[in-house]
């Protein structure tokens, strides 16, 4: 307790430096926050900047060029890997969103017993360290005899995407006024019709953000994919990792910058969806 | 004709569980066709549960529930000829006003042209024709209220259930909507079942009121009946203000009882049911029916001391202590009885207007 | 008016519908997530097959070999701290990273939460973008600036502060920085939403009762925020301790963490039971931390009531 200054409240002096103004402000917090932003952005900005470097060296600037992008776009292996990544992400996001939609509809606003247990199972993939999920999936696929490749990557991705799709959908459903489906039933809508005409349209923002989150998480994954991919299949992160084994090259910068750009666009899209969703 | 009836109705939540809660206990109630009927009680008394059972949103535990002679106890909401105006209106946020009102008709398979005609009529009925293409979240509370009413009335239900529909509005608008609702009910001839915790609202709008407390039906009657002749201590206290006095029956003479109240002499009251001499009862007297006179003047009653005086604008409220009981009296400003003004510490004579004393069950 | 006659019995029971909706998601996780964990548990008690996989003979070797080395000749056990060091390093690195993330995030999250609405949204998007950017790419970006011939060293050398490049990469420092860099947004965002809900009238009350700004922050803001701080720490600590990419890309030979050790057992080293045993230890450790923090958070909220 800082009552050292005086025992009498009335006698307590306020130093001249303490401003009267925003009572919530604390000195230094602003500059620290800006430092935090710089820390988060400086590395990716540098990485992106050097992707436009004309020289082979990744440390000396020798003029602007798009040649590394040409190299990347011309590389068939990168094209295949990118296509694989997108196909897997689309299927995994869609499948996990559908599974999550069913689970969320069944658990939210219903006094179904065992809701807590269902929640624990659905979010279990979030609790397990990624590397453990990775090796366990590998062991499982080998044990049950599914040969490693595209299918195993897809299965693993669907599983770890479920909680990411589930949480936004669940949040949206919980925010939904339970008297809306009740009103639909009151106005002669069957449960199926009430769901299709009222609940589902209102869930769209939750579904979209769940899908987007799952899509990005799938696109992002390295370690689980690396272990269950087997020799044949590859994804973009696996390919970039392979390139990195040969050292830092401008191609790595270029393809990383492309992925950076894609992520940024996706974030902005999801922020927009969030804003539209808030309106309702 | 009886519009809705419940017989032996009970509702238990978590039946059999350790936290079982009996929301409604052995309820019997009949509501006549074309009536504006109000379920009134404090929050948690079970009135909303009863409404939700009538609407089909809650399953009843025991008893039956009939609507125009049809047993609906086991029917889901979409199979009941009733519609509901929800507390927060529950307008579909992604649909325009027009589509909201058309929803029920569409679900019933009404032909398109007929639906649109009916929607137009409903819009006109609630004075919202200019807002047909607006979305609900762009409108004020009063406007949403009207849309919710139109939506519920559009399928021409036999029974309209209203769950505290005015509670989300501010005072002025609430008073205006009271008149509108009442007029709408007369115009449409539909039976309204209205839930509220606001006794003033209930008195102003209803043909009949059912007072509910702790899951039990306390009293059913017209507003005048409920206010003037409360049957229980709870009703006397909940509807308006009441002085509740403990009394003992000293003699019964035909339809009248003589009562002993500490601090008062010669108290008589009409009785509606048999009372035994020596029985303990409660008496209810409305504050505006107390007569205050300067001490020593001859009024049948007793002597009291003024402990507080509160200026209320249209009246003055006195808190009095007489014979160990606390009383509240309202004297209109400058009115017949208000020519005299008292201050705390004064001793006054207290009397009761003829017929103002009601015997209520304890 | 026509009223469709439906009876409850003609409808599919709601309980059955719920099961049909919930079932598939639960089944997928049980089969592809919980069953694999069970198999791992079993494998951790089996003998390693020479080229990956397992031999079906019960043994606790996988667990004992974490602490002891078995002599080839006389079968005796000697204590070797090598793996214990990796485990301790993992906990230590994750702990330091979590602590530093807290130190950075508390002021940042607080600052964002007290911005006007428009600025707040911009800040949030700015913090969210790195959160969604591919982790591998962010780790590569950090390596890019930390390298011996990277921009940081180049700037420092050009300015004449140093003559030799600083050893910023391929060491424990780089790994710790990598963990912070990877998981910092995980801390800022939940802390922000906690601060957002903070009732700032409490601060007014504290100042009214003669608290200094510092005292008010330490004695009022932080204690009220404790559940948020715990949640944020959890979101950083758990992925940090099992992190694979940061030590792999930014670290050197002596900065291996348990995630890399596990990965190696299923890739080059091919000792599945040992990897399974390490996984079980990491999983247990993680779940214990989760459980402990969840219980403390639970206590905190019940204290507040």
């Amino acid at each position: 307790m800082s009552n050292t200054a005086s025992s009498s409240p009335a006698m307590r002096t306020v130093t001249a430096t303490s401003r009267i103004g925003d009572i919530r402000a604390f000195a230094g917090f602003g500059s620290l926050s800006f430092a935090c932003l710089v820390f988060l952005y400086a590395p990716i900005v540098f990485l992106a900047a050097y992707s436009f470097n004309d020289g082979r060296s990744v440390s000396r600037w020798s003029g602007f060029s798009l040649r590394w992008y040409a190299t990347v776009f011309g590389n068939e292996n990168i094209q295949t890997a990118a296509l694989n990544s997108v196909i897997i992400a689309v299927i995994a996001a869609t499948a996990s969103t559908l599974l999550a939609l069913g689970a969320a509809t069944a658990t939210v606003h219903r006094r179904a017993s065992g809701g807590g247990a269902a929640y624990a199972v659905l979010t279990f993939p979030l609790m397990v360290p990624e590397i453990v999920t990775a090796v366990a999936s590998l062991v499982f696929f080998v044990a049950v005899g599914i040969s490693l490749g595209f299918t195993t990557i897809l299965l693993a991705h669907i599983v770890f995407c479920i909680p990411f799709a589930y949480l936004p959908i669940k949040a949206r459903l919980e925010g939904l006024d339970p008297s809306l489906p009740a009103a639909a039933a009151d106005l002669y809508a069957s449960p199926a019709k009430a769901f299709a005409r009222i609940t589902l349209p209102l869930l769209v923002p939750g579904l979209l953000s769940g899908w987007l989150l799952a899509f990005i998480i799938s696109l992002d994954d390295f370690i689980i994919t690396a272990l269950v991919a087997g020799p044949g299949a590859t994804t973009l992160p696996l390919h970039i990792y392979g390139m990195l084994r040969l050292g830092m090259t401008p191609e790595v910068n270029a393809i990383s910058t492309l992925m950076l750009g894609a992520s940024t666009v996706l974030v902005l899209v999801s922020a927009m969806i969030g804003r539209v969703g808030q309106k309702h | 004709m009886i519009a809705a009836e419940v017989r032996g109705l009970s509702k238990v939540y978590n039946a059999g569980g350790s936290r079982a809660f009996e929301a409604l206990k052995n309820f019997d109630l009949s509501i006549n066709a074309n009536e504006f009927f109000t379920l009134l009680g404090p929050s948690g008394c079970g009135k909303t549960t009863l409404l939700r059972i009538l609407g089909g949103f809650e399953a009843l535990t025991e008893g039956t529930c009939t609507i125009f002679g049809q047993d609906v106890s086991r029917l889901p909401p979409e199979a009941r000829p009733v519609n509901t105006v929800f507390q927060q209106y529950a307008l579909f946020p992604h649909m325009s006003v027009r589509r909201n009102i058309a929803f029920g008709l569409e679900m019933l398979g009404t032909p398109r042209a007929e639906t649109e005609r009916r929607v137009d009529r409903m819009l006109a009925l609630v004075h919202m024709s200019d807002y047909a293409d607006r979305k609900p979240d762009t409108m004020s509370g009063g406007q949403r209220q009207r849309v919710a009413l139109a939506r519920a009335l559009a399928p021409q239900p036999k029974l309209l259930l209203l769950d505290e529909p005015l509670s989300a509005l501010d005072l002025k608008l609430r008073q205006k909507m009271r008149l509108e609702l009442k007029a709408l009910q007369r115009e449409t001839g539909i039976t309204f079942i209205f839930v509220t915790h606001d006794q003033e609202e209930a008195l102003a709008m209803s043909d009949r009121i059912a007072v509910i407390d702790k899951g039990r039906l306390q009293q059913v009657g017209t507003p005048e009946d409920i206010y003037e002749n409360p049957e229980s201590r709870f009703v006397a206290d909940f509807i308006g203000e009441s002085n509740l006095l403990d009394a003992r029956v000293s003699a019964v003479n035909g339809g009248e009882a003589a009562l002993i109240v500490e601090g008062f002499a010669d108290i008589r009251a009409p009785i509606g049911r048999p009372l035994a001499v020596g029985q303990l009862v409660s008496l209810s007297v409305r504050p505006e029916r107390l007569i205050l006179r300067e001490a020593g003047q001859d009024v049948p009653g007793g002597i009291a001391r003024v402990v507080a005086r509160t200026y209320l604008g249209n009246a003055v409220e006195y808190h009095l202590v007489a014979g160990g009981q606390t009383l509240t009296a309202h004297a209109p400003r400058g009115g017949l009885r208000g020519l005299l003004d008292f201050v705390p510490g004064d001793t006054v004579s207290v009397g009761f207007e003829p017929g103002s004393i009601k015997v209520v069950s304890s | 008016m026509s009223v469709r006659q439906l009876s409850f019995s003609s409808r599919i029971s709601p309980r059955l519908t719920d099961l049909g909706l919930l079932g598939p998601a639960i089944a997928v996780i049980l089969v592809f997530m919980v069953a694999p964990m069970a198999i791992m548990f079993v494998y951790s008690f089996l003998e390693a097959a020479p080229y990956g996989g397992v031999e079906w003979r019960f043994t606790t070797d996988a667990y004992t070999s974490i602490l002891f080395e078995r002599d080839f000749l006389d079968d005796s056990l000697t204590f070797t701290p090598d793996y214990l060091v990796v485990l301790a390093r993992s906990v230590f690195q994750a702990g330091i990273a979590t602590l530093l993330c807290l130190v950075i995030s508390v002021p940042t999250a607080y600052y964002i939460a007290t911005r006007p609405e428009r600025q707040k949204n911009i800040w949030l998007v700015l913090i969210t973008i790195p959160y969604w950017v591919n982790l591998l790419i962010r780790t590569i970006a950090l390596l890019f600036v930390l390298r011996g011939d990277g921009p940081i060293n180049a700037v420092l050398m050009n300015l004449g502060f140093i003559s030799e490049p600083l050893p910023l990469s391929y060491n424990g420092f780089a790994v710790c920085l990598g963990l912070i860099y990877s998981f910092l947004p995980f801390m800022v965002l939940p802390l922000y939403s906690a601060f957002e809900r903070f009732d700032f009238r409490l601060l007014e009350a504290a100042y009214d009762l003669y608290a200094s700004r510092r005292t008010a922050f330490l004695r009022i803001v932080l204690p009220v925020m404790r559940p948020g701080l715990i949640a944020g720490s959890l979101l950083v600590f758990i992925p940090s301790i099992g992190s694979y990419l940061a030590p792999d890309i930014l670290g050197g030979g002596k900065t291996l963490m348990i995630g890399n050790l596990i990965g190696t057992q299923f890739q080059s080293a091919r000792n599945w039971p040992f990897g399974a045993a390490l996984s079980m230890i990491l999983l247990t450790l993680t779940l214990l931390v989760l459980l402990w923090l969840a219980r403390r958070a639970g206590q905190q909220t019940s204290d507040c009531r």
Side-chain angles (χ1 to χ4, degrees):
Chain A
M1 192 57 132
S2 62
N3 50 9
T4 46
S6 162
S7 57
S8 153
M11 294 297 289
R12 186 169 167 121
T13 47
V14 175
T15 51
T17 49
S18 71
R19 290 155 299 173
I20 293 179
D22 189 355
I23 60 137
R24 305 176 305 176
F26 290 99
F29 278 24
S31 12
L32 240 161
S33 308
F34 279 100
C36 175
L37 264 199
V38 170
F39 171 60
L40 284 174
Y41 278 90
I44 49 184
V45 168
F46 265 112
L47 185 80
Y50 272 82
S51 71
F52 299 105
N53 189 7
D54 192 36
R56 200 76 255 145
S57 157
V58 287
S59 46
R60 195 167 301 117
W61 182 260
S62 44
F64 179 85
S65 158
L66 290 174
R67 56 185 281 212
W68 304 115
Y69 287 90
T71 322
V72 164
F73 280 115
N75 185 327
E76 260 179 51
N77 290 332
I78 291 181
Q79 284 173 8
T80 315
L83 191 66
N84 270 345
S85 271
V86 171
I87 292 174
I88 289 167
V90 167
I91 300 178
T94 309
S96 59
T97 303
L98 288 177
L99 290 169
L101 172 64
T105 325
T107 48
V108 177
H109 288 321
R110 306 214 184 177
R111 279 155 294 174
S113 51
Y119 181 81
V121 173
L122 289 167
T123 54
F124 182 62
L126 293 178
M127 312 289 160
V128 181
E130 251 193 305
I131 181 73
V132 177
T133 308
V135 297
S137 302
L138 166 72
V139 163
F140 174 77
F141 289 133
V142 171
V144 299
I146 304 175
S147 58
L148 301 181
F150 191 85
T151 322
T152 48
I153 299 179
L154 193 56
L155 283 172
H157 279 226
I158 291 173
V159 177
F160 69 72
C161 283
I162 288 176
F164 290 98
Y166 174 69
L167 292 175
I169 296 174
K170 173 174 172 280
R172 180 79 189 167
L173 253 183
E174 278 169 347
L176 209 68
D177 181 356
S179 64
L180 290 177
D186 183 59
L187 294 162
Y188 315 109
S190 64
K193 271 209 170 131
F195 184 77
R197 297 272 314 254
I198 307 301
T199 312
L200 201 57
L202 291 173
L203 266 187
V204 165
L207 286 172
L208 279 179
S209 52
W211 190 90
L212 263 178
L213 199 55
F215 180 82
I216 289 185
I217 294 295
S218 164
L219 211 57
D220 201 43
D221 181 70
F222 168 75
I223 183 64
I224 296 173
T225 316
L227 276 146
V228 302
T234 186
T235 64
L236 207 47
L238 290 196
H239 190 86
I240 297 174
Y241 185 80
M243 287 166 77
L244 197 67
R245 293 286 105 177
L246 305 172
M248 221 36 186
T249 60
E251 285 99 332
V252 172
N253 287 38
I255 189 158
S256 300
T257 307
L258 286 173
M259 287 196 77
L260 269 173
S263 304
T264 310
V265 169
L266 288 172
V267 177
L268 295 179
V269 167
S270 95
M272 264 154 58
I273 292 170
R275 204 153 303 158
V276 172
Q278 269 172 10
K279 271 198 186 165
H280 284 322
Chain B
M1 192 176 185
I2 288 171
E5 187 168 37
V6 294
R7 284 273 159 263
L9 180 83
S10 291
K11 172 69 187 175
V12 184
Y13 289 105
N14 294 324
S18 56
R19 296 168 74 182
F21 170 68
E22 201 174 9
L24 293 172
K25 294 159 198 166
N26 197 18
F27 230 81
D28 291 311
L29 190 62
S30 293
I31 295 156
N32 300 323
N34 305 330
E35 214 176 9
F36 195 121
F37 193 90
T38 298
L39 304 175
L40 173 66
S43 63
C45 72
K47 58 190 189 301
T48 297
T49 304
L50 179 57
L51 196 79
R52 290 177 63 79
I53 287 173
L54 286 168
F57 307 113
E58 304 264 3
L60 46 80
T61 311
E62 258 175 68
T64 58
C65 169
T66 53
I67 290 171
F68 285 96
Q70 182 198 6
D71 185 353
V72 297
S73 309
R74 309 203 64 77
L75 291 186
E78 64 266 30
R80 298 188 184 204
V82 301
N83 290 128
T84 307
V85 176
F86 291 84
Q87 192 164 10
Q88 302 294 332
Y89 317 136
L91 296 177
F92 306 131
H94 57 305
M95 294 182 188
S96 66
V97 165
R98 173 174 289 279
R99 297 267 62 84
N100 260 287
I101 299 175
F103 190 86
L105 296 166
E106 284 169 13
M107 290 298 122
L108 287 172
T110 313
R112 176 120 197 146
E114 168 67 13
T115 299
E116 297 305 315
R117 242 196 332 273
R118 192 100 63 86
V119 171
D120 285 330
R121 223 169 43 232
M122 286 301 133
L123 283 166
L125 186 70
V126 297
H127 316 296
M128 289 294 289
S129 299
D130 295 342
Y131 295 85
D133 298 315
R134 293 271 287 270
K135 286 278 181 68
D137 52 10
T138 63
M139 300 190 303
S140 71
Q143 291 167 335
R144 281 187 229 184
Q145 161 79 78
R146 292 204 178 95
V147 176
L149 264 170
R151 184 179 72 175
L153 288 170
Q156 297 181 325
K158 293 182 171 176
L159 204 57
L160 188 73
L161 309 177
L162 303 102
D163 186 7
E164 306 222 15
L166 305 183
S167 62
L169 307 178
D170 61 45
L171 184 65
K172 276 272 182 318
L173 195 55
R174 202 151 67 214
Q175 286 170 341
K176 183 163 172 269
M177 285 307 293
R178 272 183 207 165
L179 298 175
E180 281 192 30
L181 265 182
K182 182 76 189 156
L184 207 59
Q185 193 263 330
R186 285 218 189 86
E187 220 170 304
T188 57
I190 292 173
T191 312
F192 278 30
I193 302 181
F194 184 91
V195 160
T196 184
H197 64 269
D198 182 338
Q199 39 111 356
E200 203 182 308
E201 209 166 273
L203 294 175
M205 297 163 75
S206 320
D207 294 323
R208 283 199 305 152
I209 298 172
V211 185
I212 303 171
D213 184 45
K214 299 198 182 92
R216 282 184 204 283
L217 187 60
Q218 300 290 323
Q219 191 173 351
V220 183
T222 62
E224 288 83 354
D225 209 19
I226 298 267
Y227 187 83
E228 300 296 341
N229 300 307
E231 284 169 8
S232 66
R233 232 184 131 96
F234 173 80
V235 175
D237 200 31
F238 186 72
I239 314 287
E241 275 184 80
S242 258
N243 290 299
L244 291 165
L245 303 170
D246 298 323
R248 196 208 313 243
V249 181
S250 61
V252 179
N253 185 6
E256 199 182 56
L259 301 138
I260 301 166
V261 181
E262 202 188 335
F264 293 90
D266 195 21
I267 302 282
R268 284 169 188 287
I271 52 171
R273 60 205 148 88
L275 290 175
V277 173
Q279 190 179 341
L280 290 174
V281 292
S282 289
L283 303 181
S284 155
V285 189
R286 299 290 178 191
E288 68 271 19
R289 304 196 69 177
L290 256 57
I291 305 167
L292 301 188
R293 289 286 181 270
E294 266 181 80
Q297 286 203 3
D298 189 30
V299 230
I303 300 294
R305 196 162 50 80
V306 177
V307 290
R309 173 189 182 276
T310 312
Y311 176 65
L312 296 180
N314 58 355
V316 175
E317 180 180 272
Y318 296 103
H319 285 267
L320 311 164
V321 176
Q325 312 216 45
T326 310
L327 294 170
T328 305
H330 286 176
R333 290 282 297 155
L336 286 172
R337 289 159 295 178
L339 292 170
L340 296 165
D341 201 1
F342 305 105
V343 293
D346 285 356
T347 304
V348 295
S349 291
V350 184
F352 305 101
E353 285 183 9
S356 65
I357 301 174
K358 310 288 174 191
V359 179
V360 298
S361 63
S362 297
Chain C
M1 84 176 266
S2 73
V3 169
R4 280 171 303 167
Q5 292 292 320
L6 288 172
S7 66
F8 274 152
S9 57
S10 80
R11 298 166 74 189
I12 307 162
S13 96
R15 199 170 276 263
L16 217 61
T17 322
D18 279 357
L19 205 65
L21 290 169
L22 186 58
I26 297 281
V28 165
I29 291 177
L30 287 180
V31 170
F32 293 102
M33 194 80 201
V34 179
M37 295 300 152
I39 294 177
M40 290 283 280
F41 180 73
V42 173
Y43 276 20
S44 71
F45 289 103
L46 297 179
E47 268 179 31
Y51 302 106
V54 287
E55 303 271 7
W56 281 87
R57 274 191 300 274
F58 176 84
T59 171
T60 53
D61 271 5
Y63 289 96
T64 47
S65 60
I66 293 169
L67 292 178
F68 303 99
E69 198 166 21
R70 192 177 290 277
D71 196 288
F72 278 118
L73 299 172
D74 59 4
D75 224 29
S76 64
L77 294 172
T78 9
F79 176 73
T80 45
D82 295 7
Y83 297 128
L84 211 57
V85 166
V86 174
L87 201 63
R89 186 188 294 135
S90 307
V91 174
F92 177 74
Q93 287 276 30
I96 295 283
T98 306
L99 206 66
L100 290 174
C101 276
L102 257 181
V103 170
I104 302 170
S105 301
V106 166
T108 307
Y110 182 89
Y111 183 74
I112 298 174
T114 54
R115 289 307 86 203
E117 201 61 35
R118 275 187 68 86
Q119 277 185 46
K120 196 189 284 183
N121 288 331
I122 295 171
W123 272 96
L124 280 179
V125 169
L126 284 175
I127 297 286
T128 315
I129 289 172
Y131 183 76
W132 290 44
V133 165
N134 194 307
L135 187 59
L136 173 66
I137 286 173
R138 288 202 291 136
T139 312
I140 292 174
L142 194 63
L143 175 65
F144 183 78
V145 294
L146 292 179
R147 282 171 318 139
D149 54 353
I152 293 180
N153 274 316
V155 167
L156 290 178
M157 284 194 344
N158 280 340
L159 292 174
F161 287 132
I162 51 172
S163 52
E164 288 286 300
L166 288 174
L168 296 175
S169 56
Y170 304 124
N171 52 28
F173 163 78
V175 173
C176 189
L177 201 64
L179 293 178
I180 298 170
Y181 190 64
S182 301
F183 305 121
L184 183 60
F186 287 35
M187 180 82 97
V188 177
L189 292 175
L191 282 193
Y192 158 78
S193 57
F195 280 126
E196 169 98 295
R197 286 193 296 271
F198 182 76
D199 180 359
F200 285 98
R201 286 171 304 184
L202 295 183
L203 261 189
E204 288 180 17
Y207 294 147
D208 184 56
L209 296 166
Y210 318 107
S212 69
R213 299 221 156 198
R214 203 183 121 85
T215 318
F217 192 79
L218 295 179
R219 304 246 338 216
I220 307 297
V221 180
L222 285 188
V224 171
M225 287 298 102
R226 211 172 81 163
L229 300 181
I230 288 175
S233 307
L234 205 125
L235 287 173
V236 172
F237 186 79
I238 295 212
S240 291
I241 194 169
S243 172
Y244 181 88
L245 278 177
D248 185 62
I249 291 176
L250 297 163
K254 290 188 175 161
T255 57
L256 209 66
M257 285 172 61
I258 185 169
N260 311 87
L261 195 58
I262 293 172
T264 318
Q265 304 313 312
F266 291 88
Q267 291 166 320
S268 48
R270 298 241 167 242
N271 188 340
W272 285 22
F274 184 54
L278 288 172
S279 298
M280 284 301 118
I281 288 172
L282 178 58
L283 184 63
T284 312
L285 209 67
T286 312
L287 293 181
L288 281 181
V289 170
L290 268 171
L291 213 68
W292 178 70
L293 287 177
R295 275 188 58 185
R296 288 197 59 172
Q299 276 171 7
Q300 181 68 25
T301 42
S302 59
D303 285 351
C304 284
R305 262 177 218 145

